[in-house]
């Protein structure tokens, strides 16, 4: 993929004219900028934008922040990757101006958001699509075939060794080691966990009897670690360990599983993730500007990879000032644009939003406004 060139056309997509002073959603703790900065294409937004949330978005967020600041010299985006649950909490209590979340807002969270985000509350805007890898540390093995039931048994502790007959039956000819399986889960409230357990509960309900949740079932034994980087490091350091993590974080000696879809197995890839998202439908009963997607985990479409996350920027529909609203709109416009999506794909192996989704995000942002 060609290196990103965030030039005149991409910069235009994030321009808001004038000198902007920023205040936080529901508070006045953001930085004021003394004057507008100019880029090659005209006046640029200025101020400091604060976000909290998804660790899966980490690599994409790093490049988004850098490129946005380059096009808008007076603007800074601060992002703390504390997990999706922490991000949703921060937007709801007004301590952040946007949240990164791998799970869309629950109905009760939307109701709660009206306290800080105005009568229309907060909305979910998709900005990042990525497959979740089932990643493992098996000496000499980097590719395995697994189905949902087998994955569920592995993470429930019902399969204790890697040479278990259930794994062997799916992988004829592979010399599986007589090695203990060590499942590793997220210790924090995680959108990745929510998506992973949503897949297991939908496709293997006879084995995965817990409801989908961002919090790992307390009844299940195994190792745990905080954040995407935490679980990946634990598995990398532990022979026989296995976890679920955003594919952008999986590298080195770790292998990844092909997932059974219908009668065949699908390798993990951005294209396969995008194909799975195409099978999803809008979540019902939401604000017209809310773009939450209900994924079809049971899809049998060849080439679709169903263990996928759609990560959102959750923003208020009403901010204290127009300045805050304009800066939020400018940043999310860039992240969801062709330039922003190419940058994320290059750095994080994510799947670009479709043109249809990009246009929907752009239209939804028109509903974001400031009180003054």
């Amino acid at each position: 993929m060609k290196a990103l060139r965030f030039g005149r056309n991409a910069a235009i997509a994030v321009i808001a004219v004038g000198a902007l002073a920023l205040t936080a959603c529901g508070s006045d703790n953001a930085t004021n900028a003394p004057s507008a900065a100019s880029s090659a294409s005209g006046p640029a937004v200025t101020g400091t934008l604060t976000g909290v949330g998804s660790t899966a978005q980490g690599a994409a967020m790093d490049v988004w922040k850098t490129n946005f600041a380059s096009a808008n010299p007076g603007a800074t985006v601060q992002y703390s990757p504390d997990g999706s649950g922490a991000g949703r909490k921060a937007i709801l209590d007004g301590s952040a101006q946007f949240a990164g979340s791998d799970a869309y807002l629950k109905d009760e969270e939307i109701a709660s958001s009206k306290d800080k985000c105005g009568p229309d509350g907060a909305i979910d805007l998709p900005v990042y699509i990525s497959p979740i890898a089932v990643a493992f540390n098996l000496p000499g093995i980097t590719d395995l075939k697994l189905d949902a039931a087998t994955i569920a048994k592995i993470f429930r502790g019902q399969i204790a060794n890697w040479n278990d007959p259930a794994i062997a039956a799916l992988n004829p000819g592979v010399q599986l080691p007589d090695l203990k399986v060590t499942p590793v889960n997220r210790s924090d409230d995680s959108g990745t966990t929510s998506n992973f357990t949503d897949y297991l509960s939908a496709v293997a309900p006879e084995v995965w009897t817990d409801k989908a949740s961002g919090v790992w079932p307390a009844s299940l034994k195994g190792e745990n670690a905080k954040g995407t980087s935490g679980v990946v490091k634990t598995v990398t350091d532990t022979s026989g360990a296995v976890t679920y993590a955003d594919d952008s974080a999986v590298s080195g000696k770790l292998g990844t599983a092909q997932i059974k879809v219908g009668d065949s197995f699908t390798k993990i890839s951005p294209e396969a993730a995008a194909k799975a998202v195409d099978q999803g439908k809008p979540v019902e009963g939401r604000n017209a500007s809310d773009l939450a997607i209900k994924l079809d985990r049971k899809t049998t479409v060849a080439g679709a990879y169903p263990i996928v996350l759609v990560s959102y920027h959750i923003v208020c529909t009403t901010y204290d000032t127009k300045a805050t609203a304009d800066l939020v709109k400018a940043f999310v416009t860039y992240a969801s644009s062709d330039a922003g999506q190419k940058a994320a794909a290059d750095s994080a192996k994510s799947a670009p939003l479709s043109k249809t989704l990009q246009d929907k995000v752009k239209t939804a942002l028109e509903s974001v406004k400031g009180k003054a």
Side-chain angles (χ1 to χ4, degrees):
M1 180 174 292
K2 294 182 180 179
L4 171 70
R5 297 184 62 187
F6 183 53
R8 181 179 181 88
N9 290 338
I12 289 174
V14 299
I15 294 307
V17 178
L20 300 179
L22 177 65
T23 59
C25 173
S27 66
D28 294 321
N29 62 359
T31 302
N32 287 337
S35 62
S38 294
S39 69
S41 56
V45 292
T46 60
T48 300
L49 183 62
T50 300
V52 177
S54 165
T55 61
Q57 282 190 38
M61 189 63 70
D62 285 344
V63 73
W64 286 338
K65 291 189 302 181
T66 299
N67 292 338
F68 186 73
S70 294
N72 302 271
T76 301
V77 178
Q78 300 173 339
Y79 184 76
S80 183
D82 297 331
S84 297
R88 295 194 304 279
K89 181 178 182 296
I91 190 75
L92 295 180
D93 67 21
S95 59
Q97 293 138 336
F98 76 97
S101 179
D102 306 333
Y104 54 76
L105 292 167
K106 300 175 183 176
D107 289 344
E108 56 268 31
E109 289 175 321
I110 290 179
S112 176
S113 73
K114 295 178 182 180
D115 182 47
K116 297 292 184 181
C117 293
D120 292 326
I123 54 176
D124 304 281
L125 303 177
V127 293
Y128 180 82
I129 296 171
S130 182
I132 298 171
V134 176
F136 52 84
N137 181 349
L138 291 178
I141 300 176
T142 58
D143 185 44
L144 284 177
K145 294 182 173 70
L146 296 174
D147 59 21
T150 303
I151 295 169
K153 289 176 182 178
I154 287 172
F155 281 91
R156 296 194 77 85
Q158 296 173 10
I159 289 179
N161 272 56
W162 281 104
N163 62 352
D164 186 278
I167 300 176
L170 296 170
N171 296 275
V174 178
Q175 297 301 309
L176 296 167
D178 182 8
L179 181 64
K180 176 186 175 183
V181 174
T182 301
V184 181
N185 63 268
R186 289 280 290 270
S187 62
D188 51 324
D189 186 340
S190 159
T192 308
T193 299
S194 179
N195 281 275
F196 183 61
T197 58
D198 185 49
Y199 165 75
L200 293 177
S201 64
V203 186
E206 70 286 352
V207 180
W208 194 265
T209 52
D210 295 279
K211 292 182 179 180
S213 174
V215 178
W216 192 255
S219 61
L220 300 183
K221 297 179 180 180
E223 301 294 325
N224 63 72
K226 184 177 180 179
T228 300
S229 60
V231 294
V232 170
K233 183 179 187 305
T234 299
V235 174
T236 301
D237 294 342
T238 309
S239 184
V242 59
T243 194
Y244 54 94
D246 185 271
D247 189 44
S248 67
V250 179
S251 61
K253 63 183 179 182
L254 299 187
T256 57
Q258 296 183 45
I259 304 302
K260 191 172 185 180
V261 177
D263 295 326
S264 60
F265 291 87
T266 301
K267 289 187 176 181
I268 192 167
S269 72
E271 294 76 18
K275 195 167 188 177
V277 172
D278 286 345
Q279 313 308 312
K281 297 180 179 179
V283 175
E284 296 180 354
R286 297 295 176 101
N287 181 317
S289 297
D290 190 287
L291 302 180
I293 300 170
K294 179 64 176 177
L295 297 169
D296 179 10
R297 304 295 187 183
K298 296 181 180 180
T299 181
T300 57
V301 173
Y305 186 91
I307 317 179
V308 60
L309 63 82
V310 177
S311 200
Y312 302 87
H313 281 172
I314 299 174
V315 304
C316 290
T317 50
T318 303
Y319 288 91
D320 282 351
T321 68
K322 182 177 182 296
T324 306
D326 284 347
L327 186 53
V328 169
K329 291 162 72 173
F331 180 66
V332 180
T333 295
Y334 165 60
S336 59
S337 71
D338 278 338
Q341 290 296 295
K342 289 177 182 177
D346 197 34
S347 65
K349 298 190 291 185
S350 59
L353 297 180
S354 67
K355 183 64 167 60
T356 298
L357 265 183
Q358 288 184 38
D359 289 344
K360 287 182 178 180
V361 173
K362 185 177 181 180
T363 299
L365 283 168
E366 293 176 2
S367 69
V368 176
K369 57 187 180 297
K371 294 177 183 177

